[in-house]
Amino acid sequence: MTETTTTAERQELARLRQLITTLFENFGNGDIDAMETLLADDCTLWDLFVPDLVVGRQQRLDFHETDRAQSKARGEFAWNITFVREEMWGDVALLCYYFDFTYGEPNAMSASVRITDLLRRRDGEWKIVHHHEGRTPEPPSFPH
């Protein structure tokens, strides 16, 4: 947030942080329909585990099914979000955050992901129009 952010904008950004949190709660519960209510029909996705851009509702539904299957093949899902940038420009908003997650056994794994979500407000309702994930790089190690 910038120093010139108004009280109304801070409240709106708090609602957007909650929208993002709800998205991952729905993911953890395997509730694709609830996830989709937070995404614009024309939402695009760059997912951590998929090489191609996911475009449009049908590709997203196919992606969600595959993603839910991989999630079910793993153990318990735990996660944490740390927001690092939040900006609003009228009916457009940008949220950048770290998403740290762990899957338990079987097929345990954990990672830290950098995510950027672009949101648009239409008719008073915010929807994600682009979701971009990328693995947080490890700091370089230099010889001493």
Side-chain angles (χ1 to χ4, degrees):
M1 285 186 280
T2 64
E3 291 180 21
T4 59
T5 305
T6 67
T7 299
E9 288 171 328
R10 283 192 298 277
Q11 290 171 339
E12 203 66 17
L13 288 168
R15 282 191 274 282
L16 294 177
R17 287 190 302 274
Q18 183 56 52
L19 184 149
I20 299 301
T21 300
T22 300
L23 178 75
F24 288 104
E25 288 170 349
N26 293 334
F27 173 77
N29 295 330
D31 192 344
I32 292 170
D33 293 335
M35 287 176 62
E36 276 294 313
T37 66
L38 306 173
L39 307 177
D41 286 340
D42 58 349
C43 179
T44 54
L45 306 171
W46 281 118
D47 185 77
L48 181 65
F49 298 112
V50 178
D52 298 320
L53 182 65
V54 177
V55 180
R57 184 168 167 75
Q58 188 55 56
Q59 281 188 15
R60 277 197 327 272
L61 292 174
D62 295 343
F63 161 75
H64 288 316
E65 286 300 326
T66 302
D67 199 33
R68 182 165 50 180
Q70 75 81 24
S71 182
K72 284 184 174 184
R74 299 184 184 283
E76 186 176 338
F77 181 60
W79 53 275
N80 182 61
I81 294 176
T82 305
F83 291 95
V84 295
R85 182 170 182 201
E86 305 158 337
E87 297 285 336
M88 275 183 58
W89 305 277
D91 290 333
V92 175
L94 174 79
L95 279 83
C96 301
Y97 51 97
Y98 291 104
F99 181 78
D100 301 309
F101 70 90
T102 302
Y103 283 105
E105 293 293 340
N107 303 310
M109 74 169 293
S110 63
S112 179
V113 182
R114 297 183 297 191
I115 300 178
T116 300
D117 283 323
L118 183 64
L119 299 98
R120 177 180 58 215
R121 180 172 42 198
R122 283 199 176 149
D123 300 323
E125 187 174 15
W126 287 99
K127 300 278 185 166
I128 298 169
V129 294
H130 182 69
H131 177 86
H132 188 137
E133 300 179 353
R135 189 176 294 268
T136 303
E138 295 289 327
S141 59
F142 298 102
H144 297 282

